[in-house]
Amino acid sequence: MISLQNVSKSFGSGPSAVIALDRVDLEVADGEIFGVVGQSGAGKSTLIRSVNLLERPDSGTITVNERELTSLSDAELRVERRRIGMIFQHFNLLSSRTVRGNVELALEVTGAERRERRRRADEILDLVGLTAKAGVYPTQLSGGQKQRVGIARALAANPRVLLSDEATSALDPETTRSILELVRTINRELGLTVLLITHEMDVVKTVCDSAALLEAGRIVEQGPLVSLISTAGSRLARDLFPLGPVPRHAGSTVIEITFSGGSADRPVIAQLSRNHGLDVSILGAVIETIGGNQAGRTRLQIPGSAAGARAAIDDLRSQGLLVEVVGEGNR
């Protein structure tokens, strides 16, 4: 549905040029919610603005809805952009228009008739839960309500793709959760493909099917969350389940076990202690719901000899668990 191939973008020229995107390859499947996560300055906003060519890349190709946008004329690009909705961080609502008027604005540029604009605006406002606010002005709305208007406006022209540029970063946690629930509902009910950028791992955990980590303009890791969780050394998986610095314990081995799917419900630690006669200590644990399934990471301290620790680790791995040794004390 969305494909970026070898996309690069820089600002300025010569030695002072800033490379925002560096040979980015990104694949977003039809109907999924895909999150791009990274710190400020990583190139996230440039990336998402490149998808609909608000920022035209210096090189590479961008394909959306099976059309290679980078090869289109200006007139053809305008038509294709109508099939790509976009939600902005700061709402960008017109204070002189009512809620309904702001949603209708997206249809005015397409040439839709007044009656059709009104019908579609009311339909979308019902979807986002703002029917009762159709006649009020943006100054009378909360931040969450303003973002719902922004979402309604982005959906007005029946897009197949929805882009979200840090849409929840200015909202409080409770409002953020409600907006993410709305995004998931829209994804399911309308079959939209959603690409969102964020610096918050909680957003990825809550709503995304797949994710990519962007650093200094480059994609360093990407894939479905269920696959990343089970990938040894995955930085995204580690960020999804943060356990803090690894403590050093003399005479013991520190391991981390990643649980996903059905393994999250099994008494793995109790069995390990019983079967190997070990006084296992839990140093930390994080359990989350990812993609509708329980998943998480647990850090354990295994006392005793290196041989005993290896036997315990081999036992865990034989059960299909991802086990990583993160610390070995002096013995």
Side-chain angles (χ1 to χ4, degrees), residues 71-109:
S71 67
L72 299 181
S73 67
D74 290 344
E76 291 171 326
L77 180 58
R78 284 194 293 270
V79 173
E80 289 303 314
R81 279 178 176 157
R82 295 173 187 171
R83 305 170 69 197
I84 305 173
M86 191 162 186
I87 313 168
F88 299 93
Q89 177 181 356
H90 298 295
F91 319 134
N92 296 335
L93 303 180
L94 295 179
S95 60
S96 61
R97 283 182 174 241
T98 64
V99 165
R100 182 186 289 114
N102 270 277
V103 177
E104 288 187 19
L105 179 62
L107 296 169
E108 288 178 20
V109 299

Side-chain angles (χ1 to χ4, degrees), residues 34-308:
F34 193 108
V36 177
V37 64
Q39 297 301 314
S40 297
K44 303 187 303 297
S45 290
T46 302
L47 186 150
I48 202 164
R49 288 171 62 85
S50 295
V51 172
N52 57 6
L53 265 61
L54 291 179
E55 292 285 358
R56 186 172 286 274
D58 300 327
S59 61
T61 61
I62 298 173
T63 302
V64 181
N65 296 322
E66 301 181 352
R67 295 294 305 275
E68 186 184 323
L69 302 189
T70 39
S71 67
L72 299 181
S73 67
D74 290 344
E76 291 171 326
L77 180 58
R78 284 194 293 270
V79 173
E80 289 303 314
R81 279 178 176 157
R82 295 173 187 171
R83 305 170 69 197
I84 305 173
M86 191 162 186
I87 313 168
F88 299 93
Q89 177 181 356
H90 298 295
F91 319 134
N92 296 335
L93 303 180
L94 295 179
S95 60
S96 61
R97 283 182 174 241
T98 64
V99 165
R100 182 186 289 114
N102 270 277
V103 177
E104 288 187 19
L105 179 62
L107 296 169
E108 288 178 20
V109 299
T110 69
E113 295 182 355
R114 179 177 297 179
R115 181 178 297 178
E116 172 58 21
R117 295 200 306 265
R118 176 70 176 260
R119 184 201 66 78
R120 178 60 178 168
D122 287 346
E123 179 180 73
I124 295 299
L125 287 174
D126 180 60
L127 177 64
V128 303
L130 286 180
T131 296
K133 300 292 185 180
V136 307
Y137 290 86
T139 55
Q140 300 170 268
L141 302 177
S142 67
Q145 290 170 334
K146 289 177 182 178
Q147 194 55 280
R148 286 174 180 264
V149 178
I151 292 172
R153 181 182 55 193
L155 297 176
N158 286 305
R160 294 188 60 196
V161 169
L162 184 63
L163 308 179
S164 172
D165 186 2
E166 296 273 17
T168 60
S169 63
L171 305 176
D172 62 77
E174 184 176 350
T175 304
T176 292
R177 283 192 295 272
S178 71
I179 293 298
L180 293 177
E181 289 171 2
L182 176 60
V183 170
R184 173 57 79 181
T185 298
I186 290 167
N187 164 256
R188 289 172 176 166
E189 294 189 4
L190 303 183
L192 286 180
T193 301
V194 181
L195 175 62
L196 60 86
I197 65 169
T198 182
H199 62 274
E200 302 171 285
M201 290 305 299
D202 281 344
V203 171
V204 175
K205 284 188 286 192
T206 301
V207 75
C208 291
D209 303 305
S210 300
L213 176 61
L214 186 68
E215 282 188 350
R218 304 200 72 178
I219 297 289
V220 298
E221 187 177 11
Q222 67 176 298
L225 293 187
V226 292
S227 298
L228 292 171
I229 290 169
S230 303
T231 300
S234 167
R235 292 174 55 189
L236 274 170
R238 190 166 295 279
D239 288 342
L240 284 169
F241 309 113
L243 293 175
V246 178
R248 187 173 181 83
H249 293 271
S252 65
T253 300
V254 179
I255 66 171
E256 290 180 359
I257 309 170
T258 299
F259 300 88
S260 60
S263 65
D265 298 327
R266 288 156 43 193
V268 172
I269 299 173
Q271 290 176 351
L272 180 70
S273 180
R274 182 170 58 250
N275 294 343
H276 294 270
L278 296 172
D279 292 326
V280 178
S281 299
I282 300 176
L283 303 181
V286 180
I287 301 294
E288 301 280 0
T289 300
I290 305 291
N293 297 309
Q294 289 288 303
R297 188 186 301 270
T298 299
R299 181 180 290 162
L300 303 179
Q301 176 191 356
I302 302 178
S305 67

Side-chain angles (χ1 to χ4, degrees), residues 292-326:
N293 297 309
Q294 289 288 303
R297 188 186 301 270
T298 299
R299 181 180 290 162
L300 303 179
Q301 176 191 356
I302 302 178
S305 67
R310 283 196 299 272
I313 292 168
D314 289 343
D315 184 2
L316 292 169
R317 288 173 173 164
S318 72
Q319 300 175 48
L321 297 169
L322 175 61
V323 182
E324 299 175 85
V325 178
V326 296

